Amino acid sequence: MNILARLQYFISLPPLWIIQIDSDKLIFSHIKNKQMLVKQEQLYLEPHTVLQHKISNPSSLCRGLRLFCKQKKLPKIRAWFLLPKKFYPLPLLAHELFQFLVSVKEAPVIIEAVMINPINEPTPHYRD
């Protein structure tokens, strides 16, 4: 048994979610076993939370993440963030990544990855 398997036996990791950010909504996709999409939910934010190359309303983004965790009764979640390609057409610069990380620092989220969404539009709402 490797070290990671031993740790997971005693300490369970928070659930993994892929969070797609659009200009005024968050799309949460729950991932099971890093392979399978289990469920997907949307949460609307204040208008124009994300603008060209910046998070214009970080408090709205942070409140949305906290609200989602509170509704699901989760103390923390692990997340891969996908930023919208229409607002971040080029790879993230250091100051853009730093600005994003500062805007979600108060949220109960363990950030595993921050990247640009490879598709132009967020995935449509999926119901199981």
Side-chain angles (χ1 to χ4, degrees):
M1 187 181 264
N2 64 18
I3 294 172
L4 184 60
R6 288 180 191 173
L7 284 175
Q8 287 180 348
Y9 180 78
F10 294 106
I11 303 167
S12 63
L13 293 173
L16 179 63
W17 293 82
I18 292 179
I19 303 173
Q20 297 177 69
I21 301 173
D22 202 7
S23 64
D24 59 351
K25 69 181 170 184
L26 297 173
I27 301 172
F28 295 87
S29 304
H30 188 220
I31 304 298
K32 196 83 162 177
N33 298 331
K34 292 191 179 184
Q35 298 173 1
M36 192 171 69
L37 180 72
V38 178
K39 58 184 164 183
Q40 191 175 51
E41 299 179 29
Q42 290 186 22
L43 182 77
Y44 286 91
L45 304 171
E46 293 177 21
H48 307 295
T49 298
V50 180
L51 293 177
Q52 195 70 26
H53 301 289
K54 70 176 187 172
I55 308 292
S56 63
N57 193 347
S59 61
S60 172
L61 180 61
C62 198
R63 268 194 312 265
L65 293 169
R66 272 193 250 125
L67 177 66
F68 178 78
C69 289
K70 185 177 177 183
Q71 287 175 344
K72 295 293 175 191
K73 296 181 176 130
L74 297 169
K76 277 197 175 215
I77 59 173
R78 291 181 302 143
W80 296 351
F81 284 94
L82 297 179
L83 298 173
K85 192 171 189 171
K86 63 184 172 187
F87 295 124
Y88 293 92
L90 302 173
L92 281 176
L93 298 174
H95 71 277
E96 293 169 341
L97 178 62
F98 179 74
Q99 193 260 345
F100 174 77
L101 294 173
V102 167
S103 68
V104 297
K105 71 177 180 156
E106 297 296 322
V109 175
I110 299 169
I111 300 171
E112 289 196 354
V114 178
M115 60 191 96
I116 306 300
N117 197 345
I119 52 180
N120 286 333
E121 293 297 319
T123 58
H125 188 60
Y126 166 80
R127 291 183 187 259
D128 51 356

